């Protein structure tokens, strides 16, 4: 009910970076917590939160809200997704079973038609409790296209699954006002202002390894 990896995806992302006290950092699963350490800046943990619209042209198209912690594994940078919602059952099941990404279903509005404003809201399914919203103002478009490359580390069963992500995208500066529900799952971001916001535009990316690459990694 979901595509095999790798997933080839395209779309738009609206990303903000927060610095939050370590005591307020979202918890990592036990096996992952034993393997990685958070990256800190002045004693605060770097947390990225993003609204994503995956568009037709990729293997799936759906909308997503995620929060992820920047961590390192013996000095090697990793991204670990702690909270994530999608409006696609295929994306939820594939994310969980292939890579250990803890996707949940939600209902979205993600309105980018009134540029330069992007208005986004997410709630629990079937008219459930609100999770959060944001208003993003797009600013200057940077010339050219830029490479994307990072590794996602998640707990899958009793192991750590490390998944490469590669692609290219345009960039725009942005300003974002986030409004997570103070009593909701993103409460650790409530009342905080991002230190950086960007729009990652018209991206294409490859999430995961091909069968050939997986075979090579098993025999390496």
């Amino acid at each position: 009910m979901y595509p095999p990896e790798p997933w080839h995806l395209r779309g738009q992302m609206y990303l903000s970076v927060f610095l939050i006290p370590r005591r307020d950092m979202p918890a990592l699963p036990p096996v992952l917590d034993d393997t990685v350490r958070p990256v800190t800046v002045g004693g605060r943990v770097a947390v990225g939160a993003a609204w994503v619209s995956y568009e037709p042209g990729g293997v799936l198209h759906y909308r997503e809200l995620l929060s992820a912690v920047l961590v390192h594994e013996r000095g090697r940078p990793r991204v670990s997704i702690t909270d994530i919602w999608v409006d696609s059952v295929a994306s939820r099941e594939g994310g969980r079973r292939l890579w250990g990404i803890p996707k949940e279903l939600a209902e979205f509005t993600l309105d980018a038609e009134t540029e330069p404003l992007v208005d986004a809201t997410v709630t629990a399914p079937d008219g459930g409790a609100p999770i959060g919203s944001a208003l993003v103002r797009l600013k200057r478009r940077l010339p050219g296209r830029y490479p994307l490359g990072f590794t996602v580390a998640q707990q899958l069963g009793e192991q750590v699954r490390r998944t490469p992500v590669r692609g290219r995208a345009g960039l725009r500066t942005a300003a974002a006002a986030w409004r997570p529900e103070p009593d909701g799952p993103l409460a650790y971001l409530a009342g905080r202002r991002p230190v950086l916001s960007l729009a990652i535009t018209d991206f294409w990316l490859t999430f995961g390894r091909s069968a050939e690459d997986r075979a090579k990694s098993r025999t390496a």
Side-chain angles (χ1 to χ4, degrees):
M1 62 186 300
Y2 53 84
E5 69 171 314
W7 288 5
H8 301 285
L9 300 164
R10 59 179 298 175
Q12 318 296 324
M13 177 186 294
Y14 310 100
L15 169 70
S16 291
V17 178
F18 298 81
L19 296 178
I20 67 172
R22 187 164 182 170
R23 65 180 179 275
D24 297 333
M25 172 183 152
L28 298 175
V31 173
L32 190 59
D33 193 46
D34 290 341
T35 305
V36 302
R37 294 293 179 267
V39 173
T40 58
V41 179
R44 293 173 178 261
V45 178
V47 175
W51 301 85
V52 190
S53 175
Y54 294 105
E55 299 174 344
V59 295
L60 292 172
H61 56 95
Y62 59 96
R63 291 167 294 185
E64 178 177 273
L65 169 63
L66 68 89
S67 178
V69 179
L70 181 62
V71 297
H72 69 89
E73 182 180 3
R74 298 179 181 177
R76 297 178 179 176
R78 306 281 190 249
V79 173
S80 186
I81 299 169
T82 55
D83 296 283
I84 181 168
W85 297 267
V86 297
D87 60 359
S88 161
V89 172
S91 174
R92 180 191 65 177
E93 295 303 304
R96 285 175 170 266
R97 298 183 187 186
L98 293 172
W99 305 299
I101 298 173
K103 296 184 179 185
E104 301 284 356
L105 289 178
E107 296 178 353
F108 286 77
T109 60
L110 186 54
D111 183 5
E113 298 299 321
T114 56
E115 191 174 331
L117 296 178
V118 178
D119 193 358
T121 303
V122 61
T123 61
D126 301 320
I131 296 169
S133 62
L135 185 64
V136 181
R137 181 178 294 274
L138 303 178
K139 295 185 176 181
R140 186 167 66 94
R141 191 183 302 273
L142 303 182
R145 288 178 64 79
Y146 298 83
L148 302 173
F150 54 93
T151 297
V152 173
Q154 302 293 137
Q155 182 171 323
L156 181 60
E158 295 303 313
Q159 296 182 330
V160 175
R161 179 69 186 267
R162 301 163 185 87
T163 303
V165 183
R166 299 292 182 268
R168 297 189 73 84
L171 292 178
R172 291 183 72 168
T173 59
W178 285 74
R179 298 182 293 270
E181 288 298 311
D183 298 325
L186 294 179
Y188 53 87
L189 298 181
R192 305 187 190 277
R193 297 180 64 180
V195 297
L196 173 69
S197 293
L198 289 172
I200 300 171
T201 60
D202 300 320
F203 67 74
W204 61 261
L205 60 82
T206 299
F207 198 109
R209 293 183 175 90
S210 66
E212 180 180 356
D213 287 340
R214 295 197 300 276
K216 288 178 180 178
S217 68
R218 287 194 293 268
T219 59

